[in-house]
Amino acid sequence: MEKEMQLKRNIGFFVSTSLVIGTVIGSGIFMKPGVVLSATGTSNLALFAWVIGGIITLASGLTMAEVSVNIPKTGGLYTYIEEIYGKTWGFLCGWVQTIVYGPAVIGALGLYFGTLLADFFHFPKNSSVLIGIFTVLLLMVLNILGTHLGGFIQTASTIGKLIPIALIAIFGLLKGDAAVFNVESGSVQHISMGAAILATLWAYDGWMNVGFMAGEMKNPAKNLPRAIISGLLVVIVAYLSVNIALLHVLPAQKIVALGPNAASTAATILFGEVGGKILAIGILISIFGCLNGKILTFPRVPFAMAERGLLPVAKIFSRIHPTWKTPVGATVMQVAIALLMMVFWNPDRLTDMAIFAVLFFYGLSFYAVFLLRKQRQAADLYKVPLYPVTPIVAIVGTAYIIVSTLINSPIDTLFSIGIMLIGIPVYWKLKREHSLANQKAS
């Protein structure tokens, strides 16, 4: 293990920081400002929700980094839960990621992309779902074929996501003239800070990948916390800047009404029709690349579970295509579930469902820091700063969002809980089949 760790330690501080920024910034900053404004009712509370979401994310990333250093194994959250809480909880974590989290994220991104593309070309609004479905299927085929186009898409999307953020933030702050603070959103829905923070967590989602870099860094004890803090601070500042800029350009009620089209509308106001179209293309590239990355990576969870016989019909889901060398069965399964979700749910409900589905397991992984310090000597590579305050902030923030979501969106949350509970008899059945197979073999 030590040799493997040494071979991987070639990432420095600046590369680590850019990876943090790149994995966190996706579609949320373009899609969620209107949702957060609507949920809070005022611009002040909306901006505060973005700050609170950032603090929870920062505490979560710093806490998870210590867990990942103490358990330097591949598999991420699934592996951590299994290592600390046992195989049953590990299975349920992977099961929820497979059936709810992964497909819901893919479905939401596909629907967001379809909405923006339909608006860009002035297609009928009801065409957005079909466009989203076609885009998801296209990227599924490209990723199954193992094409190198995926790498190009990811590189282009990184540039695509940063350019519109920077331009909207800078020019919106300089050229806008609308009031930013103490502005009513005009929303008639029930005010819910929990729902608003949950929406921001979609924009901050991706931080779980931060801790996975510990074994690849030159000096993780020094560079890991610095990369997490600096990277997430850049993201928080970027998100706040874009939201303030949008409020400075568009009335709060208009942002709520425009929803996912608010950023491209603000760009048109700031840069004219042509400039607005160029920035809208940048936003589309960003979401397209983000969707590509999810379709590429998410099937790896069910694929890994199927390889260990931890999914029904595991032979199909663990199948690697003989020519293209890609997990074709797991990829098709994830996309098939995503397509069903795209038909029956809207993208905002899917994002809430996705984040809620993994929040419980996030909370368990944060609490694991306390268990690890009791069970074993904490690794000298890295220890979470301001212990125990930082993990407590992560746990309390997670618990608050879980309770608020249960109150405000009971149907979607009960669906996620129901899927997790269904996983219990599935695991028992698979475990019994393995036991019978071993008895026959012996």
Side-chain angles (χ1 to χ4, degrees):
M1 178 63 69
E2 288 181 3
K3 184 178 180 181
E4 181 184 354
M5 294 282 281
Q6 290 172 359
L7 289 171
K8 290 182 178 178
R9 287 181 190 161
N10 54 6
I11 297 177
F13 166 69
F14 289 107
V15 173
S16 302
T17 303
S18 67
L19 286 171
V20 172
I21 297 169
T23 54
V24 172
I25 294 179
S27 66
I29 186 55
F30 307 120
M31 302 293 104
K32 292 301 184 180
V35 175
V36 176
L37 267 171
S38 181
T40 54
T42 67
S43 58
N44 288 16
L45 286 177
L47 294 172
F48 185 59
W50 285 98
V51 172
I52 295 300
I55 291 172
I56 293 173
T57 302
L58 186 59
S60 302
L62 290 169
T63 303
M64 187 59 65
E66 180 169 326
V67 176
S68 66
V69 168
N70 275 275
I71 307 174
K73 297 181 179 179
T74 57
L77 183 65
Y78 166 68
T79 302
Y80 304 152
I81 297 297
E82 182 181 74
E83 180 84 6
I84 298 162
Y85 297 101
K87 291 186 176 181
T88 301
W89 284 110
F91 170 83
L92 291 177
C93 178
W95 171 260
V96 167
Q97 288 185 80
T98 296
I99 305 298
V100 182
Y101 177 72
V105 171
I106 292 170
L109 288 169
L111 289 172
Y112 282 140
F113 183 83
T115 299
L116 292 181
L117 194 67
D119 181 72
F120 184 84
F121 288 107
H122 305 292
F123 292 150
K125 285 189 176 181
N126 57 10
S127 66
S128 59
V129 175
L130 290 176
I131 294 171
I133 288 173
F134 174 79
T135 305
V136 169
L137 287 171
L138 172 66
L139 287 174
M140 179 194 75
V141 172
L142 291 176
N143 279 286
I144 287 176
L145 291 175
T147 176
H148 295 295
L149 181 61
F152 170 76
I153 292 171
Q154 291 308 110
T155 303
S157 69
T158 300
I159 299 170
K161 74 177 67 174
L162 294 177
I163 289 176
I165 286 175
L167 291 177
I168 291 172
I170 294 169
F171 286 91
L173 293 172
L174 292 175
K175 297 176 67 174
D177 56 8
V180 173
F181 301 104
N182 302 313
V183 181
E184 300 286 334
S185 70
S187 173
V188 295
Q189 74 175 61
H190 174 68
I191 301 303
S192 172
M193 199 64 179
I197 296 172
L198 181 68
T200 70
L201 292 181
W202 165 261
Y204 288 114
D205 192 38
W207 60 264
M208 181 61 75
N209 298 326
V210 171
F212 301 169
M213 299 182 300
E216 303 173 63
M217 298 177 71
K218 293 176 182 177
N219 187 350
K222 179 181 179 181
N223 287 329
L224 183 57
R226 286 174 62 202
I228 292 172
I229 293 171
S230 58
L232 288 178
L233 284 177
V234 168
V235 173
I236 293 169
V237 170
Y239 285 3
L240 283 173
S241 299
V242 168
N243 276 273
I244 292 172
L246 287 177
L247 286 164
H248 209 29
V249 174
L250 295 168
Q253 295 182 13
K254 188 74 171 175
I255 295 174
V256 172
L258 287 168
N261 295 309
S264 56
T265 302
T268 301
I269 294 172
L270 290 170
F271 305 105
E273 195 69 29
V274 175
K277 291 291 185 184
I278 292 172
L279 285 187
I281 291 171
I283 295 171
L284 284 166
I285 291 172
S286 171
I287 298 174
F288 188 77
C290 184
L291 178 58
N292 175 74
K294 304 304 185 188
I295 293 175
L296 172 68
T297 57
F298 281 164
R300 269 59 185 176
V301 173
F303 173 75
M305 293 180 70
E307 275 196 319
R308 300 167 67 179
L310 292 177
L311 281 181
V313 291
K315 287 184 179 180
I316 295 175
F317 298 139
S318 63
R319 183 171 179 265
I320 297 176
H321 195 278
T323 304
W324 304 320
K325 307 299 181 184
T326 52
V328 59
T331 302
V332 170
M333 181 262 284
Q334 289 274 271
V335 167
I337 299 173
L339 295 180
L340 286 173
M341 289 182 165
M342 292 171 74
V343 173
F344 291 106
W345 281 281
N346 68 52
D348 289 327
R349 287 181 65 186
L350 285 180
T351 61
D352 289 352
M353 193 187 302
I355 299 303
F356 179 83
V358 293
L359 277 177
F360 174 72
F361 295 102
Y362 282 1
L364 287 180
S365 64
F366 302 150
Y367 183 68
V369 169
F370 298 102
L371 298 178
L372 287 169
R373 291 205 179 189
K374 285 182 180 180
Q375 294 172 2
R376 65 185 87 171
Q377 184 68 35
D380 293 329
L381 286 174
Y382 167 80
K383 294 181 181 179
V384 60
L386 300 178
Y387 178 89
V389 175
T390 301
I392 288 174
V393 168
I395 293 168
V396 171
T398 300
Y400 170 69
I401 298 303
I402 288 174
V403 173
S404 296
T405 311
L406 277 167
I407 294 171
N408 292 290
S409 303
I411 295 176
D412 293 340
T413 53
L414 289 174
F415 173 81
S416 295
I417 293 171
I419 292 295
M420 183 177 74
L421 294 177
I422 289 172
I424 296 174
V426 172
Y427 177 70
W428 287 343
K429 183 176 184 296
L430 292 171
K431 190 176 179 181
R432 186 167 60 250
E433 289 175 355
H434 283 191
S435 178
L436 290 173
N438 290 333
Q439 289 176 10
K440 289 180 180 178
S442 60

